[in-house]
Amino acid sequence: MLRVVVPIVVLVVFVYGLVDLIRTDPRLTKGISKPAWIVVQIVLPLIGAVLWFIVGRPRNTEAAPVTYSHPVAPDDDPEFLRNLEIRRRNQAEADRLKKLKDELDAKERKLDGGSGEARGSGSSGDAHESGDAGTQGTDEVK
């Protein structure tokens, strides 16, 4: 029984110590550098792990928040969503202005076609007196 338990304990301590060492930030290791600690643990498995826990492991340090530098999905990025909303509003405004301009052009063509003789006789102010298409920007879409 002891022949089985001792090697398993040594293996567990070695693997736990090595994994803990690998996951530790290199700036926080004490004594020697991180690669040197890895060599010590591989060459002297049980003694290296015990030394790591006693001497090299950082003490009383809070776990550093994990920051990932991978790109953020568009639907999670507030900057993207804000720009998307601005672009949508600008496109809607451009579409509305284009529609109003097309309506204005259609009204001007209608007035030009219907009162072609009146304009030719010199009464060019008649088309603007009605207020329909004479002043730009007064038409409202309802």
Side-chain angles (χ1 to χ4, degrees), residues 32-98:
I32 56 177
S33 66
K34 186 174 178 176
W37 274 115
I38 293 173
V39 169
V40 167
Q41 280 207 15
I42 291 174
V43 172
L44 305 167
L46 184 61
I47 297 171
V50 171
L51 285 174
W52 165 251
F53 290 122
I54 293 173
V55 177
R57 189 169 191 228
R59 302 276 180 230
N60 298 332
T61 57
E62 296 181 17
V66 178
T67 56
Y68 298 103
S69 62
H70 60 80
V72 178
D75 58 345
D76 293 337
D77 186 10
E79 183 69 25
F80 175 80
L81 295 174
R82 187 171 24 259
N83 288 339
L84 188 65
E85 180 64 22
I86 291 170
R87 280 186 280 174
R88 186 193 63 79
R89 286 181 187 163
N90 289 343
Q91 184 62 39
E93 182 67 17
D95 291 344
R96 188 180 75 79
L97 290 175
K98 184 178 183 316

